[in-house]
Amino acid sequence: MRRLRNVKIVATLGPASSDYATIRALFEAGADVFRLNMSHGSQADQRARRDIIRQIEADTGRPIAILADLQGPKLRVGVFANGAVDLEEGNPFRFDLDPAEGDGHRVSLPHPEIFAALTPGARLLVNDGKIRLRVNACGPDFADCTVTTGGTISNRKGVNVPDVVLPVAALSEKDRSDLEFACEMGVDWLALSFVQRPEDVIEARALARGRAAILSKIEKPSAVAAFTEILAVSDGIMVARGDLGVELPVHSVPPIQKRLVRACRTVAKPVIVATQMLESMIESPMPTRAEVSDVATAIYEGADAVMLSAESAAGRYPVEAVATMNAVAISVESDPTYREVIEASRKADRRTVADAIVAAAREIAETTDIKAICCYTQSGKTVALVARERPRVPIVALSPVPATLGVLCLTWGVHTVRCDKVERFKMAVVNAARAARDFGFADETGKIVVIAGVPFNVQGTTNILRVAPCDERLIFSADPE
């Protein structure tokens, strides 16, 4: 099965999508990557979903990526004597380390690391920012605040602290356990929550030990401020607009999204745009017009992937949500304006032989009758560089390394094929021609561009570009040895 679009679709699995039939239906509707949200469900639940995905992968013969999304540390208030209290704008309220039940004047905030970082003037946001307070005075075990936006605060509601970098590790003990579990069961990507600094990513990478690619979720102002450094040590990025919209003014999120997507494209690293893309489809079989425009905007920006969260995990219409996203993607990519926008925003810092080869491949493909660009790859880096060019023809990635193919399922425009190791360039060309024909991109009369490196099976050796026929007889006659 080949997709009729370039942007990839990430679908989160959950209670509404945990059996073989539903997950298979999500795949057939357009899902390329399945997200396991480690915040919900047990490890046994996630392993069962993983087993189903791998079974579908075997049944369809098409690589499918699995992304395990780590929960990250959760900062929450304590409990109230009456379960909840109403806070009114302008009233004082205290957070402290006292475990006693809270009332209308105070509540426990059992996180000394928050008090260690607070300064007067900082904001505390409760329950996804619905309640807002400003710090007047603080110490190692308290913060006296004024309510700036009132509302009902209840037991164990989450707390955001947008104005300071918290001395909190991105990986909690639960996350460390989940990370090892996810790597052990063979996921392709690890999504890291609560990233504040590049050191958070470096720590996760050390624990993963090369068993999965690391995707950093940008959901905090400190991550936006340090984005260049975080991007440099990450394999991919998720623009997690939900928490960004809580900790930053909502009107600042769209320009941040555009900036982050463009930065990822420049360095050839995949980027997912996520959160509330088709939120109304949790309850409705039809999205709103604004949601459709939101998905389309991310695609016009050149994002590698768009993501469904609760829509596919817990909604009433999970398959319809994926089908809708697929239809929007096909419609956008069929629009002549899409190519104009994508090509006008193409930007690359080309410094290497591989950079030059992939740029030449795109130029050849777009000025002659080339049916596909085929890359024989070990690590997937060359394929990512080809995808950065956003060519007008399909990209076929051939690799003997299953983990490489799994990671590439998230990359724009890439169709993955597992092949045997080859020792000669001729066989790489033969495999590429077969793949192009199998996908339906070309017949025996067509031509493809093949990119590879000699010596074979060594990372970082991209040094060959050939325009080749898809007729194997012509390939062998041109190079009989």
Side-chain angles (χ1 to χ4, degrees):
M1 177 189 295
R2 69 181 177 92
R3 304 303 194 198
L4 299 175
R5 55 175 159 74
N6 292 307
V7 69
K8 302 302 178 71
I9 294 174
V10 182
T12 304
L13 300 183
S17 50
S18 290
D19 60 281
Y20 180 96
T22 303
I23 298 173
R24 176 70 181 260
L26 292 173
F27 169 75
E28 292 179 347
D32 303 282
V33 180
F34 287 111
R35 171 176 173 254
L36 306 179
N37 186 354
M38 307 306 288
S39 299
H40 303 289
S42 66
Q43 290 185 349
D45 293 335
Q46 305 297 8
R47 183 179 291 278
R49 291 167 186 148
R50 175 263 184 201
D51 291 345
I52 291 172
I53 295 166
R54 293 304 183 217
Q55 184 61 53
I56 294 170
E57 187 176 58
D59 292 346
T60 60
R62 182 174 179 272
I64 303 171
I66 300 177
L67 184 154
D69 195 331
L70 303 178
Q71 175 178 286
K74 292 300 179 184
L75 308 176
R76 300 184 184 279
V77 300
V79 299
F80 293 86
N82 295 321
V85 298
D86 291 328
L87 300 184
E88 294 186 8
E89 182 179 339
N91 284 357
F93 193 77
R94 168 177 277 221
F95 295 95
D96 57 41
L97 294 178
D98 185 347
E101 293 179 330
D103 55 29
H105 304 287
R106 60 154 297 279
V107 73
S108 172
L109 182 58
H111 300 286
E113 62 274 19
I114 291 181
F115 298 114
L118 283 178
T119 56
R123 292 171 296 157
L124 289 171
L125 313 179
V126 183
N127 192 15
D128 291 334
K130 296 180 178 65
I131 299 168
R132 296 171 177 256
L133 307 96
R134 189 168 298 279
V135 176
N136 299 320
C138 52
D141 58 357
F142 77 96
D144 287 328
C145 308
T146 298
V147 178
T148 57
T149 301
T152 301
I153 181 172
S154 55
N155 294 343
R156 298 188 178 88
K157 287 300 182 183
V159 177
N160 294 77
V161 190
D163 299 324
V164 297
V165 176
L166 295 175
V168 178
L171 295 169
S172 65
E173 286 306 310
K174 170 180 165 53
D175 294 324
R176 290 171 180 271
S177 171
D178 286 343
L179 184 152
E180 182 59 31
F181 167 76
C183 288
E184 180 270 328
M185 71 173 180
V187 305
D188 302 288
W189 286 90
L190 287 168
L192 185 61
S193 300
F194 210 85
V195 174
Q196 297 187 98
R197 54 183 83 80
E199 290 78 10
D200 295 331
V201 187
I202 293 169
E203 179 187 9
R205 187 178 297 283
L207 293 171
R209 302 195 307 277
R211 293 173 291 171
I214 305 298
L215 185 139
S216 297
K217 295 168 66 176
I218 305 303
E219 53 191 354
K220 298 188 69 62
S222 52
V224 176
F227 180 71
T228 300
E229 295 78 12
I230 290 170
L231 178 60
V233 296
S234 304
D235 298 308
I237 294 293
M238 181 190 296
V239 186
R241 304 175 306 173
D243 281 308
L244 273 181
V246 171
E247 299 207 3
L248 289 165
V250 290
H251 57 263
S252 70
V253 175
I256 289 172
Q257 173 179 316
K258 287 186 181 296
R259 191 165 74 246
L260 269 52
V261 169
R262 188 163 294 194
C264 291
R265 286 183 58 191
T266 299
V267 299
K269 292 185 178 182
V271 55
I272 304 170
V273 176
T275 319
Q276 296 179 327
M277 300 213 81
L278 295 175
E279 185 85 353
S280 68
M281 291 194 75
I282 296 172
E283 298 293 340
S284 168
M286 291 292 292
T288 68
R289 309 303 185 270
E291 288 167 341
V292 169
S293 288
D294 181 42
V295 174
T297 295
I299 298 169
Y300 277 113
E301 289 170 353
D304 289 84
V306 286
M307 192 176 98
L308 296 167
S309 298
E311 301 97 326
S312 58
R316 296 174 60 187
Y317 304 96
V319 177
E320 291 85 348
V322 172
T324 296
M325 193 167 264
N326 182 65
V328 173
I330 292 172
S331 178
V332 169
E333 293 181 1
S334 301
D335 176 15
T337 305
Y338 171 73
R339 290 307 320 178
E340 294 175 9
V341 172
I342 287 294
E343 291 171 12
S345 60
R346 183 185 289 136
K347 179 183 178 184
D349 185 11
R350 301 188 179 99
R351 302 184 181 185
T352 67
V353 171
D355 290 334
I357 284 178
V358 300
R362 175 183 56 77
E363 289 282 355
I364 293 169
E366 292 180 359
T367 54
T368 62
D369 189 22
I370 295 297
K371 302 301 183 182
I373 298 174
C374 303
C375 306
Y376 190 86
T377 183
Q378 288 289 309
S379 67
K381 296 292 177 59
T382 301
V383 180
L385 293 176
V386 175
R388 177 176 68 181
E389 297 290 324
R390 299 296 192 258
R392 298 187 182 192
V393 300
I395 304 166
V396 179
L398 301 99
S399 181
V401 184
T404 294
L405 298 176
V407 170
L408 287 172
C409 288
L410 189 58
T411 300
W412 184 98
V414 175
H415 302 263
T416 55
V417 179
R418 185 173 181 178
C419 65
D420 295 331
K421 285 188 176 182
V422 299
E423 301 299 332
R424 299 196 56 191
F425 184 67
K426 177 175 68 176
M427 291 312 300
V429 175
V430 169
N431 286 338
R434 289 174 181 170
R437 296 198 310 270
D438 289 345
F439 276 120
F441 298 142
D443 57 26
E444 287 193 340
T445 66
K447 292 183 178 181
I448 56 174
V449 168
V450 183
I451 298 173
V454 175
F456 278 103
N457 308 312
V458 177
Q459 293 186 18
T461 58
T462 301
N463 54 18
I464 295 178
L465 180 155
R466 179 179 293 181
V467 176
C470 286
D471 187 334
E472 291 181 35
R473 293 168 298 182
L474 297 178
I475 297 172
F476 282 105
S477 64
D479 184 9
E481 294 300 321

